[in-house]
Amino acid sequence: MSGVVYAPVDCLVEVLGVALALRFAKRFGGGRVYVPQPERLKPEGAIVATIGLEAGLRLCHEWRGLEIMVPKCVSYLARDRARAIHAERRTMSVAGLARKYEITERHASRILAEPPPVEEPAPAAPRAQRESRRY
């Protein structure tokens, strides 16, 4: 299987988690990234340097041998992160939330000062349909 496929935001979040998907999109968003077979993932490569070996392997298992178009999904991920921070505010301190989501305490406080973002219903394409999107 080879070619270029679009990596949907929701799938990136599902595979990497919010914090790592944000980091991956910040580094590669708007461009193409070749995802090697899991056994060919280089520990010194750009993917591992960005998201770590474990997450890199998850990415490889999802898109093995494909070149993926990485979305610039910062606003989506920021809304999702804000929802998660609001959901966890009763169980974690602001400092704990800031560490978990890799933001400053001041930014975590600003997020908590605003009402939680409204979840936008966006139907996700079935996995088979997502895999068939090629350029």
Side-chain angles (χ1 to χ4, degrees), residues 32-118:
R32 297 177 183 195
V33 175
Y34 175 73
V35 180
Q37 298 288 336
E39 61 276 4
R40 293 188 175 192
L41 182 65
K42 295 181 180 177
E44 67 278 357
I47 291 173
V48 173
T50 304
I51 59 175
L53 184 60
E54 184 180 318
L57 287 170
R58 290 195 309 265
L59 192 74
C60 289
H61 285 290
E62 185 70 23
W63 287 290
R64 63 181 64 218
L66 296 174
E67 188 173 20
I68 61 172
M69 295 290 297
V70 182
K72 294 187 80 161
C73 50
V74 175
S75 63
Y76 170 87
L77 292 171
R79 281 192 310 274
D80 195 55
R81 178 183 62 197
R83 279 192 286 275
I85 288 171
H86 276 279
E88 295 182 44
R89 70 177 169 197
R90 288 177 182 49
T91 59
M92 293 183 77
S93 67
V94 171
L97 289 167
R99 277 191 303 278
K100 179 176 180 178
Y101 293 98
E102 298 178 355
I103 58 176
T104 64
E105 288 183 35
R106 181 176 177 188
H107 189 58
S109 295
R110 276 187 277 172
I111 290 170
L112 291 170
E114 296 289 323
V118 177

